[in-house]
Amino acid sequence: MPYDPQRGVKLLAVLALVLGVVVLGWLGTRWQEAIDQRLTPQQEILVYYATPDAMGLVGLPVRVPQDQVTPEGVLQALFEGPRELAGYRNPIPEGGEVQWVRVQGALATVSLNQELVDNHPRGSAGELLTVYSMVHTLTQLPAIERVQFLVEGQRVETLVGHLALDRPLEPDPGMILGTEERLETGTAAGEAP
């Protein structure tokens, strides 16, 4: 059979068309995800990070999908946040996870995994910052006033030996050293928009 240059061109055109369809399908999926994310209503919440000198917490605004402004969702924003944000340190140890959250009345009960305890850097300041970052992140939700912590679903006396966790904790305003500027209004937390 003699070589037909036109046949080779046709084959090349078909291969290019197939490749183009595959690439466009892949890009289309990625573009659709980006569009969906931009169109999903977002809400600003605060996650509490430690100051560089470990003397307290600062509320940092982040945006989450509106349907994730739940106890699990705000904790997820804290736990999955970057190790450092705006010069502040995430006080949640790497590998730490929330197993579940139950809300009954104004009390949120949070079960943490053992890895959070095992990977904790220890020290009383670190323990206070870790625990109260979760307390303050959760209690910004209107229905939650107190937080009870468990590890692997079991009551514990402390996380790493310093802060009593045998009772529910309330927010401690003395731990909060400030709030970074709000994203939506461009004003500090206590100022009018």
Side-chain angles (χ1 to χ4, degrees), residues 71-138:
E72 295 86 353
V74 297
L75 284 177
Q76 181 179 2
L78 174 64
F79 274 65
E80 294 180 1
R83 299 309 313 149
E84 195 170 296
L85 182 63
Y88 300 100
R89 185 181 58 79
N90 189 330
I92 304 300
E94 289 193 50
E97 293 180 2
V98 174
Q99 294 179 318
W100 50 262
V101 180
R102 292 194 184 113
V103 178
Q104 191 169 12
L107 174 67
T109 303
V110 178
S111 181
L112 305 168
N113 68 342
Q114 183 63 43
E115 202 167 343
L116 184 140
V117 176
D118 295 343
N119 292 345
H120 199 279
R122 307 288 185 239
S124 58
E127 184 174 8
L128 281 168
L129 294 169
T130 298
V131 170
Y132 278 99
S133 70
M134 293 183 280
V135 170
H136 283 276
T137 297
L138 271 171

Side-chain angles (χ1 to χ4, degrees), residues 5-21:
Q6 229 175 13
R7 184 172 181 224
V9 170
K10 287 179 184 177
L11 183 60
L12 191 57
V14 168
L15 286 174
L17 180 64
V18 169
L19 182 62
V21 168

Side-chain angles (χ1 to χ4, degrees), residues 40-58:
T40 300
Q42 301 276 308
Q43 185 170 334
E44 184 178 286
I45 64 164
L46 295 176
V47 292
Y48 287 85
Y49 272 45
T51 59
D53 60 4
M55 295 302 291
L57 297 167
V58 173

Side-chain angles (χ1 to χ4, degrees), residues 13-30:
V14 168
L15 286 174
L17 180 64
V18 169
L19 182 62
V21 168
V22 169
V23 167
L24 284 176
W26 178 75
L27 285 175
T29 302
R30 292 183 55 108

